[in-house]
Amino acid sequence: MAKVLVVEDSAAVRLAVTEVIEQAGHEVVEAENGRIAIALLDGGATFDLIVTDVLMPEADGVEVIKAARTRNPGAQVLAMSGGAPNLPAGYALKMAEMFAADAVLYKPFLNEELRKAVARLLSAADGSGAG
């Protein structure tokens, strides 16, 4: 069982992502924005995987990724985005990759896509490379 941080400002999306990850047998900690996620990392919390939206108020996903890389460097990072009116999802996710996200998902995505991405990243983290 892995410990996963889900950072998402939409309560509905956060709940859906959390359910998929918990159904896969993992423990989930939720944060409704990047500021809360960074505070958790600053407080010494560590995670095997961080699943973060890119576009959020208060602190965005890129800030979460940067904080994770310095405070929880062993964590895998999955960035997700559906874009915004003036920022296409592809651009937002490219920014996340530039700041060392390990994988990206375009919203909306299927539960199975999320399940496979989580499994792939966690297997990479444990060194098995399966997936």
Side-chain angles (χ1 to χ4, degrees), residues 85-106:
N86 295 319
L87 184 66
Y91 181 76
L93 292 171
K94 186 54 81 178
M95 280 191 328
E97 287 178 320
M98 288 172 45
F99 285 96
D102 297 295
V104 297
L105 270 180
Y106 287 83

Side-chain angles (χ1 to χ4, degrees), residues 8-19:
E8 169 62 60
D9 59 316
S10 164
V13 174
R14 191 171 61 248
L15 176 63
V17 169
T18 295
E19 284 184 4

Side-chain angles (χ1 to χ4, degrees), residues 107-123:
K107 291 180 191 173
F109 47 81
L110 301 172
N111 288 348
E112 187 59 23
E113 291 175 295
L114 174 60
R115 202 173 352 268
K116 285 180 179 178
V118 167
R120 183 174 62 250
L121 289 170
L122 290 174
S123 70

Side-chain angles (χ1 to χ4, degrees), residues 1-6 16-28 48-52 76-80 102-105 109-126 128 130-131:
M1 175 173 81
K3 188 172 179 185
V4 180
L5 175 61
V6 173
V17 169
T18 295
E19 284 184 4
V20 168
I21 295 170
E22 286 179 341
Q23 287 172 356
H26 306 298
E27 175 188 350
V28 176
D48 301 298
L49 173 64
I50 298 171
V51 178
T52 185
Q76 295 287 299
V77 177
L78 174 61
M80 53 188 182
D102 297 295
V104 297
L105 270 180
F109 47 81
L110 301 172
N111 288 348
E112 187 59 23
E113 291 175 295
L114 174 60
R115 202 173 352 268
K116 285 180 179 178
V118 167
R120 183 174 62 250
L121 289 170
L122 290 174
S123 70
D126 73 17
S128 68

